[in-house]
Structures are given as C-alpha cells and as structure tokens.
Amino acid sequence: MNDLLLIRYGELALKGKNRSDFENRLTENIREKLKPFPGVKVKKTFGRVLVELNGQRMEPVAQALTEVFGVVGVAPCKRVESDIDRIREAALELVREQNPRPRTFKVIAKRARKDFPLRSQEINHLVGSHILKRTEGLQVDVHDPELALRVEVRKEGTYLYGSDLPGPGGLPVGSSGRVMLMLSGGIDSPVAGYLTLKRGAALEAVHFHSYPFTSERARQKVEDLGRILTRYAGKIRLHVVPFTEIQTGIREHCPSSYMITIMRRFMVRISEELAQRNKALALVTGESLGQVASQTLESMKAINDVTRMPILRPLVGMDKQEIMEISRKIGTYETSILPYEDCCTVFQPKSPVTRPGVERSRELEARLDVDRLVSAAVEGTEWVELKPDKEETEFSFFD
C-alpha cells in the first residue's frame, strides 16, 4: 500500500464562492491535528486533501483524522500515473491487498481530468474486467458490493482507494465563529459542545465552581471532560467561575423552588460577560426540552430574559437515551457519571418550579445585589488551557 491517505469531505463541496475558505480551514485543522506525527505532509487538491505519511504508521494517523470535523472519510490510497495500464495493475494490487478478500466489488471511476482519453464508464469496464480475469471467487455487484473500488483521474495523477474509515462529517472547527459552552460535570453539556463543534464553531468553556460545597475532584472532572472535547476542538480555554457567594445568597434570600431559575440567570449573565471578553458570539447549554422539571419553555424564557446573546441548545429535541449514545461514542460518558457533584446538583431543590415567570424571577433577584455579584464572579474567574492528550488508539481498516 502506498504511503498515502486520501481525505474526503462532504458538505464543504456544496459551498459557493466561500468554499475555499472552508477548505483552507479544514486543511489547517488537519495540519494541527497531525502535529504529533513528525514528517507527515498535508496537501490540498481540488475536492480532496492528501496526507503523505513519510514513514509514520498509517493506523494512528488515520485514527486522528477521524476526529477532525469536516472529514467524511479517510482511505489508504495508491497514486499512479494516469495511464490505463498502470491504473489497471494498481487496481488489481489494491484488491489483492484486502484482508479479508472481498467476494463482490464494483469500480467507481471519476474523471476530473477531462483530457484523459477514456470516459468514466470505459474506465469502469476496463479496470473491472482486468480484475475479474485475474481474481478467483470475485463477482461484480453494482448495488451492494463488499468493495467499492474508486478510481479518480486527476491532473497530477490517478488515485485508487477502497476501504474507507468514516469521519465525523460536519464543518471544520473555526469556520462558524466562536461560542461559550456552559460546561457542567454531567452527561449533557459535553455532548452539546461536541455537536456545536460539528457545526464548525470554536469552543470556549465556562464552569461554575462552588468550593467548598463542590470538591476539587468535581473541578478536575470538568477539566477531564473538556480535555476529551479537545480531541475534536483543539485547544479549549476553560473559565472557572467562583460561584459560592452567589449560590449562598440565592439560598438565603430566594424560595427554594426558584433557586435553579435564579442560579441559571446568574450563570447566563456571567457567561455573557466572559463571552464578550473572549469574542464569542453565542452561549451553548446542554438543556433538552422537558428532560427534567426545570427544562421547560417557561424556564428557558425566564433564563433568556437576562441576555440578548443567542443561547444555542443543540440537545433540545433529543431524549436522554440519544444523548447517552453520543456521550459513549465521543468518550465522555464514563467521566460524566463519576460521583462528584457540581454546583447544579449540590443545591438541587426538592420541588423546582416548572413554569417560572419572568416578572417573578426579576422580583426575587431584586433582593440581591446582582451587578456586584456578577462583577465579582467575573473578576474572580480563573482559566486553564486544555490541550488534547496524545494517546493512540489501535485499530484496523478491516476490523
């Protein structure tokens, strides 16, 4: 197999005049992701990105690429001269290298180089017949083949590839602006961050820490969740907000049924200020409509009342099972279920109001010095820069 990986991307190809901006962002994100692999070269060609391994092992490089949003597929690839005899021999070699050997196949040729003397259907026929004559136990299946052998004739040469490791799809991170993720230690908010990354937004994160009511282990848990997300996001700055004075004041001056509503209104005010300071254009939460008593439309309206900044809720239409499935897939689930409570659970009232009113929320907040508390929390915020770990996952294209 040649020392080459071919990267396919999907909806980027549908972009109009700004398509090159998305492609350039994707290429830069790939280069950043592959920095732990010295010598690897990343090159962009029309509609594709190519990775030259230059001696690096294929498996860990390919695995890293499956964590880059915008990537649809990663395939080991052969590059040969655009000569039909060379193409046929390379195609036969590629089939013989498959393990296990496929029982059915089809050839899918694409002629991007229009001066090549053979049309796509002619290439399909010539390559397919060459393989059939020289391979026992192999048949053509144009509908559901075990191996779809792709042949792309381009200006710089012809690329052939078969097995394709799926990528996450979406848009390249950084192509849709910056957002501020309200990151708790639960299952939902890391998934919300992942889905926002998938739509091309770069992440800042904010966490509310109520020491000594919440432990340093709870803070470490959130840092660990953020670090898992950096596999998809690159670096993430996590802002840790001191929230003890605010929560204590709410508990002393507001009825317990409104504690969650007032607490979240404070969180949104603080997050908005931090977002503005860090050039983020929206807030992101892990709320899902109707999942718990405090996540109702009335509650969302009462929370939205304190900001003019958009609040994105990627999980709003999902149930808990769907969210948990994504959490397991992206590797946050086992960390999320560790028994270290955050400030959202340690002060959880027995009967939170399910339909809080905006006017009632404002009335109760008037008992507190809102501006001073928000300002003190913002000024007391610490931050830590989270970076991806470099653990390599072993896998095979043919597992």
Side-chain angles (χ1 to χ4, degrees), residues 142-168:
V142 297
H143 300 294
D144 188 25
E146 292 182 7
L147 173 65
L149 196 162
R150 299 180 184 273
V151 179
E152 297 188 4
V153 182
R154 295 177 173 270
K155 182 178 180 180
E156 68 275 15
T158 295
Y159 300 91
L160 301 95
Y161 57 98
S163 302
D164 191 295
L165 190 68

Side-chain angles (χ1 to χ4, degrees), residues 331-348:
T332 56
Y333 180 78
E334 295 300 328
T335 302
S336 292
I337 62 175
L338 292 174
Y340 306 128
E341 293 184 312
D342 59 30
C343 67
C344 293
T345 55
V346 73
F347 284 110
Q348 183 75 31

Side-chain angles (χ1 to χ4, degrees), residues 249-260:
I250 294 172
R251 185 172 62 174
E252 291 175 353
H253 297 287
C254 301
S256 62
S257 62
Y258 263 82
M259 281 183 60
I260 295 296

Side-chain angles (χ1 to χ4, degrees), residues 33 39 71 134 150 176 240 271 283 292 298 318 324 371:
K33 184 70 172 180
V71 173
R134 291 161 178 80
R150 299 180 184 273
S176 300
V240 183
S271 298
L283 306 180
V292 296
E298 290 86 353
M318 293 186 180
M324 289 168 60
D371 291 342

Side-chain angles (χ1 to χ4, degrees), residues 117 156 173 263 292 304 312 373:
E156 68 275 15
V173 172
M263 181 180 70
V292 296
N304 287 6
L312 308 180
L373 289 169

